[in-house]
Amino acid sequence: MGNILLLAVIGGFFYWIFKSYSKYTTYSQEAFKNFAVSKESLQKSDLGLFVSLVAKVAKADGKVDALEAELIGIMFDDISSIFPEPQKTKDILKEIFNEQKDRFDNLAEVAQTLGHAIKRERTKQHQFMGFLIQLAFVDGEVSKSEEEILSVIAEAFEFDPNAYHAIFEQFEKMMHNIKPKANVGDAYKLLGVKESDDMDVVKKAYRKLIREYHPDIIKSQGKDDAYMQEATAKTQEINQAYEMIKAHKK
């Protein structure tokens, strides 16, 4: 139960990273209105390269767990919505992800290509690296394989070691401080469901709330850290309540 609850604390940060995108200053339909969506164009873009790295970190410990999959799916929806052909974009991003998640032979090459593209953009380096570190924490702990992959990426990015360790400490502190809901009744109330409802109803309510309260990478642009903290805390509560109800139903 404790390990399951730990998943919730990090999941809410899943979108903290995506505040900017290489040659575009903001995420908007206007900025991407002339983008020619194709697998080739997305693969060569910062976004495609980054999705490749996300895939490798997500699969580093041998599997993409349920929480990772849920949040990655929402991430694809948010990003795809601003492109001229949302569904086509989403399908291509998923294809890139699936192709790259089991490939580790090209890790250094992909990381170096993206690192070179964002070499003069320290803020973006911090956002991308922070996201990947966060992703490694989603399943409750950072495995040796995840840590090795992150080290290769950080080196390719020429990332400040002090900043790297500071991000690690931030997530470790959050995981240490997480506190479960007082009782399962509070969990049902938070999700807006009844104890008599079956898990299909509970899961539907959970996914609706996650989509409503997750830190949206589009809406977060131009907002201060307080917005992200508030969204993260709410997502954290929703995940925690859902896991508590699942355990109670069993």
Side-chain angles (χ1 to χ4, degrees):
M1 181 66 177
N3 287 336
I4 292 176
L5 291 177
L6 283 174
L7 298 179
V9 68
I10 306 301
F13 277 96
F14 209 84
Y15 292 90
W16 173 56
I17 293 311
F18 287 94
K19 291 182 72 176
S20 61
Y21 173 132
S22 190
K23 24 184 199 183
Y24 302 98
T25 57
T26 61
Y27 277 122
S28 69
Q29 291 180 335
E30 178 64 23
F32 287 86
K33 67 179 181 180
N34 295 320
F35 188 93
V37 176
S38 70
K39 186 174 181 180
E40 182 179 7
S41 65
L42 285 172
Q43 278 181 318
K44 293 180 178 180
S45 68
D46 291 358
L47 181 55
L49 292 167
F50 187 66
V51 166
S52 295
L53 295 181
V54 168
K56 298 176 193 304
V57 174
K59 193 68 183 293
D61 56 3
K63 62 182 178 64
V64 180
D65 67 31
L67 181 57
E68 287 175 324
E70 187 76 34
L71 293 171
I72 288 170
I74 298 173
M75 177 188 75
F76 286 157
D77 286 342
D78 288 343
I79 294 174
S80 300
S81 68
I82 62 173
F83 282 85
E85 301 174 272
Q87 188 58 52
K88 180 180 178 180
T89 300
K90 182 179 178 180
D91 290 342
I92 293 173
L93 292 177
K94 289 171 68 175
E95 186 177 349
I96 292 171
F97 181 93
N98 289 327
E99 288 177 352
Q100 293 295 320
K101 68 181 181 182
D102 293 313
R103 285 199 63 184
F104 300 98
D105 60 303
N106 65 347
L107 170 62
E109 179 184 356
V110 174
Q112 287 167 6
T113 302
L114 179 55
H116 179 74
I118 61 174
K119 186 174 183 179
R120 300 182 184 279
E121 301 176 83
R122 294 297 180 183
T123 298
K124 189 173 297 181
Q125 290 176 7
H126 187 90
Q127 291 172 329
F128 284 177
M129 199 69 234
F131 179 95
L132 294 169
I133 292 173
Q134 174 275 125
L135 181 59
F137 272 97
V138 166
D139 59 1
E141 61 182 359
V142 179
S143 66
K144 182 178 179 180
S145 58
E146 288 171 327
E147 199 164 354
E148 290 174 350
I149 288 175
L150 289 172
S151 296
V152 172
I153 297 171
E155 183 177 355
F157 282 11
E158 299 181 5
F159 200 78
D160 181 0
N162 292 327
Y164 181 85
H165 292 300
I167 297 172
F168 252 91
E169 291 174 3
Q170 178 188 23
F171 288 112
E172 287 175 340
K173 183 178 180 180
M174 288 183 62
M175 293 176 68
H176 178 74
N177 291 335
I178 185 173
K179 293 180 175 59
K181 301 296 286 184
N183 57 69
V184 72
D186 291 337
Y188 281 109
K189 184 177 180 180
L190 178 61
L191 264 61
V193 295
K194 299 176 291 187
E195 187 171 347
S196 58
D197 290 331
D198 60 30
M199 279 306 300
D200 287 339
V201 174
V202 174
K203 189 172 185 178
K204 184 177 180 180
Y206 161 74
R207 285 183 166 175
K208 180 180 179 182
L209 287 172
I210 285 293
R211 287 187 174 276
E212 181 178 353
Y213 289 106
H214 78 277
D216 191 302
I217 65 172
I218 307 303
K219 294 180 180 178
S220 67
Q221 295 176 104
K223 296 189 177 181
D224 59 21
D225 290 341
Y227 165 80
M228 299 304 289
Q229 290 291 333
E230 182 179 351
T232 296
K234 192 65 179 179
T235 303
Q236 197 174 16
E237 290 179 13
I238 294 165
N239 274 288
Q240 185 186 77
Y242 179 62
E243 296 298 341
M244 183 176 286
I245 291 172
K246 284 203 301 183
H248 180 253
K249 289 286 188 183
K250 290 180 182 179

